[in-house]
Amino acid sequence: MYVKRVFYDDLKNVNDFEKEMKLPSWEEVEELINKMDGKVITQITMDNGNEDNYFCIGGGNEGFYNVFISENDNEIVWSLVNFDNNLEICKLVTGGQEGEFEGRLCVTIETVKKVAKYYYETGKKCDDYEWE
């Protein structure tokens, strides 16, 4: 297992309370992903203790998610691409704020789980999918 920490927002109250989970199992991470709704849990970040390299998922509302991997303190950023999404714009809530994302940068939960599990295990982007 590569991932040692998971951070996620918990917006049950007025304030954004960032929660941390240390040494999470994949089942715990998957459960958090399933709870992403764009209202209470809107963003999940995973790393191995090095904040310069991390995997981030945002959204959950509208049934879509935005996924990116940051390497070397944002020197390299890989965004997961979905060329099958015909929507021009998706309005996703990530980090507690609504933003507009190009449709091709919004993926389904099934894709999120596959690439997240691969990163959880290896710390790398899953090359079975398109990234830019």
Side-chain angles (χ1 to χ4, degrees), residues 23-52:
L23 301 174
S25 68
W26 167 247
E27 290 74 22
E28 290 172 313
V29 174
E30 185 176 32
E31 183 178 338
L32 277 176
I33 294 169
N34 287 331
K35 289 181 179 179
M36 292 184 75
D37 60 359
K39 293 177 185 163
V40 177
I41 298 177
T42 68
Q43 184 169 293
I44 298 172
T45 305
M46 301 188 288
D47 68 29
N48 74 340
N50 176 356
E51 294 178 8
D52 290 346

